[in-house]
Amino acid sequence: MKLNTAKRHIREGAKNIFRNSWMSVASIGAVTTTLILVGVFLALILNINHFAKNIEEEVQLNVYIDFLADEDQITQLGEQIKAIPEVVSVTFSSKEEELTKLIESLGEDGEMWEMFEQSNPLNDVYIVKTAEATQYKNVAAKVAKMDYVEEVNYREDTVDNLLTFNHYARIIGLIFVGALLLTAMFLISNTIKMTIIARSEEISIMRLVGAKNSFIRFPFFIEGLLLGIIGSIIPITLVTVGYYYLYTKVNLKIPFFEWLPFNPFAWQLSLLLLAIGAIIGIWGSVMSVRKFLRV
């Protein structure tokens, strides 16, 4: 495409916005409202995922070793656990270490457990980590069948509830975001359709003198792109400022919960909203023009 032609298309696309000012305002308003909600929802979903990931990283499979197992049998059990494909790490914790952890975790109440230092009732433990939280159930079933294993514990209810919540949160979030984006695309498509109808005579003349559909279509492509980009400016500002306030001022004091770092998260979210605005603007334009120019 020649430079002069490209300039002409950009100029015409920008003019189209002012020619249909009220419809353009409505479309920009729709994009703005949509992207504010999308931005808030994306920030919420991504932080929930971050929270879930933090919890998943804290999950571990505790394999309590039979009191009757000797040192060689304990070592053999550890090698068998390491051989499971899903396992990424296996750490041995003696019953003395387990008692120390218990005393420290209970604070002042832990002093009563100090009397058991000479006759420790706890088990030696293998602490097992897997690559994904979804793999613990399968690994636990395999380990439970091994010799010298007294009990296997990985907070099954907590992990299952977490995975279920995260799964449905993602599905609901995607459905909600998808519905909002379709609404914005529909409004932008109608705006550009009104522009095309208003210029139908001019477009007919252009086609009669041999103008290609691509030549006619490109200014509307630019119009949709500009509507999407303009409509994303306010949402980006509001969402980033709001997130900065939450990140610096609000401490929810929930175990394992921490906000995603403002930088680079704010930049990534801003670029994502800008891209979404541009895409829904372009999509609305392309759909509208394609129907109108179809022979």
Side-chain angles (χ1 to χ4, degrees), residues 6-41:
K7 288 181 178 178
R8 183 260 177 196
H9 289 329
I10 294 171
R11 186 171 56 251
E12 286 298 313
K15 284 182 179 178
N16 286 346
I17 294 176
F18 293 100
R19 285 172 179 168
N20 299 275
S21 56
W22 286 111
M23 288 297 294
S24 296
V25 169
S27 291
I28 291 171
V31 174
T32 298
T33 303
T34 299
L35 291 186
I36 288 173
L37 295 173
V38 168
V40 170
F41 233 84

Side-chain angles (χ1 to χ4, degrees), residues 47-75:
N47 274 280
I48 288 175
N49 286 340
H50 181 61
F51 172 52
K53 185 178 179 181
N54 287 342
I55 295 178
E56 287 177 10
E57 290 175 353
E58 293 297 322
V59 174
Q60 60 188 30
L61 179 68
N62 293 327
V63 181
Y64 297 96
I65 304 169
D66 195 314
F67 285 110
L68 300 178
D70 59 31
E71 188 173 334
D72 290 339
Q73 291 167 336
I74 292 173
T75 301

Side-chain angles (χ1 to χ4, degrees), residues 47 123 149 168 199 239-240 275 283:
N47 274 280
N123 300 74
V149 174
Y168 284 108
R199 299 179 60 198
V239 172
T240 52
W283 188 90

Side-chain angles (χ1 to χ4, degrees), residues 26-173:
S27 291
I28 291 171
V31 174
T32 298
T33 303
T34 299
L35 291 186
I36 288 173
L37 295 173
V38 168
V40 170
F41 233 84
L42 284 176
L44 178 62
I45 291 171
L46 292 174
N47 274 280
I48 288 175
N49 286 340
H50 181 61
F51 172 52
K53 185 178 179 181
N54 287 342
I55 295 178
E56 287 177 10
E57 290 175 353
E58 293 297 322
V59 174
Q60 60 188 30
L61 179 68
N62 293 327
V63 181
Y64 297 96
I65 304 169
D66 195 314
F67 285 110
L68 300 178
D70 59 31
E71 188 173 334
D72 290 339
Q73 291 167 336
I74 292 173
T75 301
Q76 182 183 352
L77 175 61
E79 293 301 321
Q80 290 176 337
I81 296 172
K82 288 179 183 177
I84 298 174
E86 298 90 342
V87 173
V88 295
S89 71
V90 178
T91 306
F92 177 76
S93 178
S94 67
K95 59 184 180 180
E96 290 77 19
E97 291 172 328
E98 288 297 301
L99 181 59
T100 300
K101 292 177 186 176
L102 179 61
I103 293 172
E104 291 176 351
S105 66
L106 294 175
E108 294 181 359
D109 294 333
E111 295 178 358
M112 61 189 302
W113 282 87
E114 293 178 359
M115 68 179 70
F116 293 104
E117 289 179 351
Q118 300 303 320
S119 56
N120 193 334
L122 301 181
N123 300 74
D124 293 326
V125 178
Y126 274 120
I127 300 170
V128 180
K129 302 281 286 187
T130 65
E132 301 289 340
T134 54
Q135 297 170 337
Y136 278 108
K137 188 172 185 177
N138 183 42
V139 172
K142 291 179 180 179
V143 173
K145 297 176 182 178
M146 295 179 180
D147 294 332
Y148 317 118
V149 174
E150 182 173 310
E151 183 185 353
V152 176
N153 188 326
Y154 71 99
R155 302 178 187 171
E156 182 176 0
D157 291 340
T158 301
V159 174
D160 290 346
N161 290 337
L162 172 65
L163 294 173
T164 301
F165 170 78
N166 209 23
H167 174 71
Y168 284 108
R170 287 173 181 169
I171 292 176
I172 293 171

Side-chain angles (χ1 to χ4, degrees), residues 272-289:
L272 182 59
L273 291 177
L274 185 65
I276 291 174
I279 289 170
I280 61 178
I282 291 170
W283 188 90
S285 170
V286 169
M287 291 298 102
S288 179
V289 176

